Amino acid sequence: MKQAHILVTNDDGIYAEGIQRLCQALLESKGGYRLSVIAPERERSAIGHAITMHKPLRVAEVDFLNNPALKGRSVNGTPSDCVKLAVEAILDQKPDLVISGINRGSNLGTDVLYSGTVSAALEGLLLGIPSIAVSLTGNGNSSSFDYAARLISTIVPRLLESSIEASTLVNINVPVDIKEIKGARVTKLGNRRYRNAFEKRTDPRGMHYYWLAGELIEDDPEDDDCDTKAVRDGYISVTPIHFQLTDRNAMPALEKLIKEMEL
Amino acid sequence: MKQAHILVTNDDGIYAEGIQRLCQALLESKGGYRLSVIAPERERSAIGHAITMHKPLRVAEVDFLNNPALKGRSVNGTPSDCVKLAVEAILDQKPDLVISGINRGSNLGTDVLYSGTVSAALEGLLLGIPSIAVSLTGNGNSSSFDYAARLISTIVPRLLESSIEASTLVNINVPVDIKEIKGARVTKLGNRRYRNAFEKRTDPRGMHYYWLAGELIEDDPEDDDCDTKAVRDGYISVTPIHFQLTDRNAMPALEKLIKEMEL
């Protein structure tokens, strides 16, 4: 069997604990993977699917896991930039899998649209590569990161062998309280809404400014197989995500509207 | 009939021609709309669905269309920030519609995932408000912006009356060569791929850097009702977009995989 090539990235930056523990676990597993680690030079959270068009991207080699055989590279861009640049310009061989994480903090429900972690995996998908996004649901300590890292290194060989399409992103959220984990569930994306999303303050010069803040209201649909509910109930949540965004159901009503306008 | 309240934003910045022409056309139309204009203080293209968490957002009042009754506001954030801040903190009343545009340059196919213009409309949708994104397919002159602006002011009253759901974002791309426009088509999102996405250069100090570049390859699915093809053929493209991202078709295969792992 050919050696699988995994591109690892994240949105907490290449020096974050999550990406280091993940790579350590992948190296220690029996997979014998070739790892390429290309990640932002600093934290780039809530960056969504941003790409950098107006400034040049630079790549620096970085010591990674004190392993001279493992070349780490940092990029002065977003998580999506890292994956695009890795696949299109840096790597000699297209990866078989992209893993983005392990993020410190959950990426659940509608919030995945803001997530740098998920966007990096999405960039892999757009380039035709199966992709995984992994998050811990809170500020993990080293044992929760290790738990999630070992979980991923168990899932990876199965995913590589499976019939899961390269059009599906697998979004995994691991409850940070690992002692209470009850198992894993395949879930749908739930809804996340926030109350009082901004806090208005006044600076020392009397000028107003706003902080994004807000109290989370988890607003699950009635069926209980949502990612938000799964992690709340102590389960690892595994959600398949696609990017077929055309709303085919709305096409007839729009056709009617356009026709009436005689455009 | 109650006066409709429209929030107008964009990603080219509040001083861009597109948003000004759009507002002018809406004010001159028979709709009698209340307009709120809240847009980035500068260009924020390719920002995707980024939101600003780590710095305070500031809002400045801006002269807009030399119309003292029309308060324009600029924000030091992304298009998504503008809509979120407008609805959650600035406006006294929830808008009935969000319009994002008119963007200088198309937002078609898979590229909508990178689009600030579309993301602003998506933020409206997430807040439960029907939303429209509008783009010209190139560097428009004033007559092409005026054409697109009048088109939108014709569509708006019909959309407000229609049964199109607030879960659908209407993404409109207007061919910049307005003299050759043949009509309008309701379309699906096509695929856009790029060849040689990065250009590698060397700076005066011998260090390498990369520019995002690349040659567009339009890679439409076989059916010919894609947005990319429609605008190429001289049609206004109208695409309904949703954000139901759960890939339900992939759930059984993932269930099987999780079960075999005995998690």
Side-chain angles (χ1 to χ4, degrees):
Chain A
M1 211 183 96
K2 138 175 186 295
Q3 185 189 33
H5 179 197
I6 303 177
L7 170 61
V8 186
T9 190
N10 73 349
D11 84 341
D12 288 335
I14 197 159
Y15 300 105
E17 187 173 5
I19 193 169
Q20 307 227 358
R21 299 270 170 181
L22 173 61
C23 291
Q24 192 66 48
L26 288 168
L27 287 176
E28 285 168 4
S29 74
K30 293 174 192 153
Y33 307 117
R34 172 180 168 200
L35 292 193
S36 296
V37 183
I38 303 180
E41 62 185 10
R42 61 180 179 87
E43 196 207 330
R44 299 302 293 259
S45 295
I47 196 70
H49 201 63
I51 50 169
T52 303
M53 292 175 66
H54 301 302
K55 67 172 192 182
L57 291 173
R58 288 179 185 268
V59 182
E61 294 199 5
V62 163
D63 273 335
F64 201 78
L65 301 180
N66 292 317
N67 182 340
L70 185 64
K71 222 192 275 183
R73 293 180 185 94
S74 71
V75 177
N76 64 334
T78 67
S80 302
D81 287 331
C82 290
V83 174
K84 200 186 259 291
L85 194 65
V87 174
E88 305 261 23
I90 299 176
L91 300 176
D92 54 355
Q93 181 205 26
K94 191 168 170 173
D96 301 297
L97 184 68
V98 173
I99 309 181
S100 175
I102 301 167
N103 192 60
R104 194 185 283 276
S106 63
N107 281 300
L108 294 165
T110 34
D111 281 357
V112 301
L113 288 163
Y114 304 104
S115 162
T117 306
V118 173
S119 285
L122 161 60
E123 189 63 46
L125 215 62
L126 292 174
L127 295 165
I129 306 164
S131 297
I132 304 175
V134 199
S135 310
L136 270 182
T137 62
N139 273 319
N141 57 22
S142 55
S143 32
S144 45
F145 277 118
D146 278 339
Y147 178 94
R150 281 195 306 272
L151 173 78
I152 297 307
S153 64
T154 319
I155 289 176
V156 162
R158 288 165 190 267
L159 261 184
L160 286 171
E161 282 164 21
S162 80
S163 59
I164 313 275
E165 304 270 345
S167 59
T168 295
L169 187 165
V170 181
N171 186 39
I172 300 176
N173 281 272
V174 179
V176 71
D177 191 357
I178 54 169
K179 286 186 190 139
E180 302 296 322
I181 288 177
K182 298 195 184 99
R185 281 191 180 160
V186 177
T187 56
K188 301 176 199 153
L189 292 172
N191 288 319
R192 298 202 113 184
R193 298 209 180 127
Y194 297 85
R195 212 190 322 251
N196 307 322
F198 290 92
E199 201 178 305
K200 187 175 181 176
R201 296 191 181 180
T202 307
D203 73 17
R205 287 161 302 285
M207 305 291 282
H208 300 305
Y209 62 96
Y210 297 87
W211 279 113
L212 184 65
E215 178 194 343
L216 178 64
I217 319 168
E218 262 167 12
D219 194 9
D220 293 336
E222 279 188 21
D223 49 323
D224 66 358
D225 56 351
C226 282
D227 57 353
T228 43
K229 183 169 191 316
V231 299
R232 216 161 48 227
D233 291 349
Y235 290 88
I236 298 158
S237 167
V238 181
T239 314
I241 296 181
H242 70 143
F243 287 89
Q244 309 302 322
L245 304 181
T246 307
D247 186 356
R248 289 168 187 255
N249 296 332
M251 291 177 81
L254 272 183
E255 295 274 13
K256 186 164 169 279
L257 191 146
I258 295 297
K259 206 171 167 188
E260 284 167 4
M261 285 179 65
E262 295 171 2
L263 284 175
Chain B
M1 210 182 94
K2 143 178 182 293
Q3 184 189 34
H5 179 196
I6 303 177
L7 170 61
V8 186
T9 191
N10 73 349
D11 84 341
D12 288 334
I14 197 161
Y15 300 105
E17 187 173 5
I19 192 169
Q20 306 226 359
R21 299 269 169 181
L22 173 61
C23 290
Q24 192 66 49
L26 288 168
L27 287 177
E28 285 168 4
S29 75
K30 293 174 189 152
Y33 306 118
R34 173 181 167 200
L35 292 193
S36 297
V37 183
I38 302 178
E41 62 186 8
R42 61 180 178 90
E43 197 206 329
R44 298 302 292 260
S45 295
I47 197 68
H49 201 64
I51 50 170
T52 303
M53 292 175 66
H54 301 301
K55 67 171 194 185
L57 291 173
R58 288 178 185 269
V59 182
E61 295 198 4
V62 163
D63 274 335
F64 200 79
L65 300 180
N66 292 318
N67 182 338
L70 184 64
K71 223 193 275 184
R73 294 181 184 92
S74 71
V75 176
N76 63 335
T78 66
S80 302
D81 287 332
C82 290
V83 174
K84 199 186 259 292
L85 193 67
V87 174
E88 304 262 22
I90 299 176
L91 300 176
D92 54 355
Q93 179 205 27
K94 190 167 170 174
D96 301 296
L97 184 68
V98 173
I99 310 181
S100 175
I102 302 167
N103 192 60
R104 193 184 284 277
S106 62
N107 281 300
L108 294 165
T110 32
D111 280 358
V112 301
L113 288 163
Y114 304 103
S115 162
T117 306
V118 173
S119 285
L122 162 60
E123 189 64 45
L125 215 61
L126 291 175
L127 295 164
I129 306 164
S131 297
I132 304 175
V134 200
S135 311
L136 270 182
T137 62
N139 273 319
N141 56 22
S142 54
S143 30
S144 44
F145 277 118
D146 278 339
Y147 178 94
R150 281 195 308 269
L151 173 77
I152 297 307
S153 64
T154 319
I155 289 177
V156 162
R158 287 164 191 267
L159 261 185
L160 287 171
E161 282 164 20
S162 81
S163 61
I164 312 277
E165 303 271 344
S167 59
T168 295
L169 186 167
V170 181
N171 186 39
I172 301 176
N173 280 273
V174 179
V176 72
D177 190 358
I178 54 170
K179 285 185 191 140
E180 302 296 322
I181 288 178
K182 299 195 184 99
R185 280 191 180 159
V186 177
T187 56
K188 301 175 199 154
L189 292 172
N191 288 319
R192 299 201 111 184
R193 296 208 180 129
Y194 297 84
R195 212 191 322 251
N196 306 323
F198 290 93
E199 201 177 304
K200 188 174 181 177
R201 297 191 182 180
T202 307
D203 73 17
R205 288 161 302 286
M207 307 290 281
H208 300 305
Y209 61 97
Y210 298 86
W211 281 112
L212 184 63
E215 179 194 342
L216 178 64
I217 319 168
E218 262 169 11
D219 193 7
D220 294 337
E222 280 188 19
D223 48 322
D224 65 0
D225 56 351
C226 282
D227 57 354
T228 43
K229 184 171 190 319
V231 298
R232 215 161 50 229
D233 292 350
Y235 290 89
I236 297 158
S237 167
V238 181
T239 313
I241 295 181
H242 69 143
F243 286 88
Q244 309 302 320
L245 303 181
T246 307
D247 186 356
R248 288 167 189 256
N249 296 332
M251 292 177 81
L254 272 183
E255 295 275 12
K256 187 165 168 281
L257 189 146
I258 295 297
K259 205 171 169 190
E260 284 167 4
M261 286 180 63
E262 294 171 2
L263 285 175

